[in-house]
Amino acid sequence: AVGREELAARLEDAAKASPQPELHLGADKAARYEFVAAVLGAAQKAGLKQVGFLTEPTPAAAGAAN
């Protein structure tokens, strides 16, 4: 786990990089929305421009793709 201050510092460092990396955010269904929103807000405040969401297909969707 990373605290808010450390997260903010890491995001600010990433935002200064060239090229700027994409933030990949993954959360399971037990994750509270407030925490996901806080990470997104911190990324925006740091100046990150690209955010991607990581998802896992449900077993039914995974079977349909095959």
Side-chain angles (χ1 to χ4, degrees):
V2 175
R4 288 182 187 248
E5 290 179 8
E6 184 178 346
L7 175 64
R10 288 184 184 189
L11 293 172
E12 288 170 9
D13 288 344
K16 293 175 188 172
S18 181
Q20 196 177 80
E22 181 172 332
L23 171 65
H24 293 159
L25 180 60
D28 64 20
K29 64 183 179 180
R32 291 179 39 192
Y33 176 78
E34 299 89 62
F35 295 122
V36 175
V39 171
L40 289 172
Q44 182 179 24
K45 184 177 179 182
L48 285 171
K49 305 280 187 234
Q50 298 181 32
V51 176
F53 291 91
L54 302 177
T55 61
E56 291 186 21
T58 61
N66 292 330

